[in-house]
Amino acid sequence: MAVGIFDSGLGGLTVLEAVENRLPDLPFVYLADSAHAPYGVRTSDDIFDLTCTAVSRLFDAGCDLVILACNTASAAALRRMQESWVPKDKRVLGVFVPLIEAMTERQWGDNSPPREVDVKHVALFATPATVASRAFQRELAFRAIGVDVEAQACGGVVDAIEDGDMILAEALVRSHVDALQRKMPAPDAAILGCTHYPLMQQHFQSALGDDVRVFSQASLVADSLADYLQRHPDMVGTGEAAFLTTGDPRRVSDRATQFLRRQITFQSA
């Protein structure tokens, strides 16, 4: 019983790498829906249908616990999935929760009234679909007051990363940071609200300046998963690790090997 990790493409590999480092003995099955990437420009219904199909494939692979290592899927599909679709003996978790916990310094199960937090001006960089969902602002408002969030839809960045064009990706990052700073000149913190974006974290940080705290999700998700499995040991099991893709396995393997700087071999999903 491996743990499933799902992303629309290769961005979730940043989460996979962090959780492998945190939980080296736990097997993972990674599924990239490369044939339908990017999700960030799709409708919420389309994202929901594609995410359910992918998660079903991971359930079939023996994964009782699946992490949506995709902010777009977490924002546009997760709540609906948990309310009406996920079987009672399965669990599907998203990547927003650890981020909100880190920003507000309170556990997800803490249902006390919203309170003031240290950060007041937050820049959110995400895909168009994540920005349109306003899921981050909604979840943050349940737990914090007095936080101004300015969102910037970062069109083109995921496509450039998936194509391996890091020069274009860097140029797009700087353009999107410039656009954000015209709306919010001095953010206290910045959220990289897409699991592809940690691959460009140094460029976000450089464009924003050293005074801006940049929250990247991979390590936060890894720590949260370790805590979850400690509290739910029935979700820990054994199984065979695997990398699956709905796209061209050879092309996806080449890109993944480039990203993680180690040999990664994908199979057809």
Side-chain angles (χ1 to χ4, degrees):
M1 186 174 67
V3 171
I5 296 181
F6 164 70
D7 185 38
S8 59
L10 297 178
L13 291 174
T14 61
V15 173
L16 174 70
E17 186 173 45
V19 295
E20 281 185 332
N21 290 336
R22 185 72 171 78
L23 300 163
D25 297 327
L26 189 67
F28 296 93
V29 177
Y30 184 94
L31 172 58
D33 190 14
S34 309
H36 302 106
Y39 278 19
V41 296
R42 294 181 176 275
T43 67
S44 58
D45 284 344
D46 199 12
I47 294 166
F48 175 80
D49 291 340
L50 288 169
T51 303
C52 289
T53 298
V55 172
S56 291
R57 176 66 181 86
L58 288 169
F59 288 163
D60 291 343
C63 302
D64 290 341
L65 171 63
V66 175
I67 300 169
L68 300 188
C70 173
N71 283 270
T72 301
S74 295
L78 179 58
R79 183 179 292 270
R80 183 175 167 189
M81 291 173 69
Q82 290 174 332
E83 291 175 348
S84 63
W85 183 84
V86 178
K88 293 186 181 302
D89 61 337
K90 310 289 186 185
R91 293 291 181 272
V92 179
L93 307 176
V95 288
F96 272 173
V97 170
L99 182 61
I100 298 291
E101 288 180 334
M103 285 199 63
T104 61
E105 296 184 347
R106 61 190 289 187
Q107 294 296 309
W108 195 253
D110 180 352
N111 292 318
S112 60
R115 58 178 178 260
E116 291 191 359
V117 295
D118 288 340
V119 293
K120 301 298 182 186
H121 305 285
V122 177
L124 170 64
F125 298 97
T127 66
T130 297
V131 170
S133 75
R134 293 189 61 81
F136 175 80
Q137 291 92 322
R138 181 182 65 244
E139 299 295 350
L140 182 62
F142 287 148
R143 292 159 181 82
I145 58 176
V147 181
D148 179 23
V149 178
E150 189 65 60
Q152 176 64 32
C154 298
V157 175
V158 170
D159 303 83
I161 292 173
E162 290 281 329
D163 290 339
D165 191 342
M166 308 311 265
I167 295 175
L168 175 58
E170 179 183 351
L172 288 169
V173 164
R174 294 190 176 278
S175 174
H176 289 307
V177 171
D178 286 344
L180 184 285
Q181 289 179 324
R182 287 196 291 271
K183 298 178 287 185
M184 179 182 281
D188 304 317
I191 305 301
L192 303 188
C194 172
T195 50
H196 285 75
Y197 296 173
L199 295 165
M200 307 302 297
Q201 183 167 349
Q202 69 183 68
H203 301 298
F204 276 102
Q205 186 74 71
S206 175
L208 287 163
D210 293 337
D211 293 338
V212 179
R213 181 181 179 187
V214 175
F215 286 85
S216 186
Q217 292 170 304
S219 60
L220 297 175
V221 171
D223 289 342
S224 181
L225 176 61
D227 177 69
Y228 181 87
L229 292 175
Q230 188 173 31
R231 291 182 287 111
H232 299 85
D234 56 306
M235 288 291 175
V236 180
T238 59
E240 292 295 325
F243 292 88
L244 307 173
T245 180
T246 58
D248 177 358
R250 179 178 297 180
R251 179 181 181 278
V252 176
S253 297
D254 288 344
R255 291 286 182 248
T257 298
Q258 176 186 356
F259 290 163
L260 293 188
R261 296 181 177 86
R262 61 184 172 93
Q263 183 62 47
I264 302 293
T265 301
F266 275 80
Q267 305 167 13
S268 293

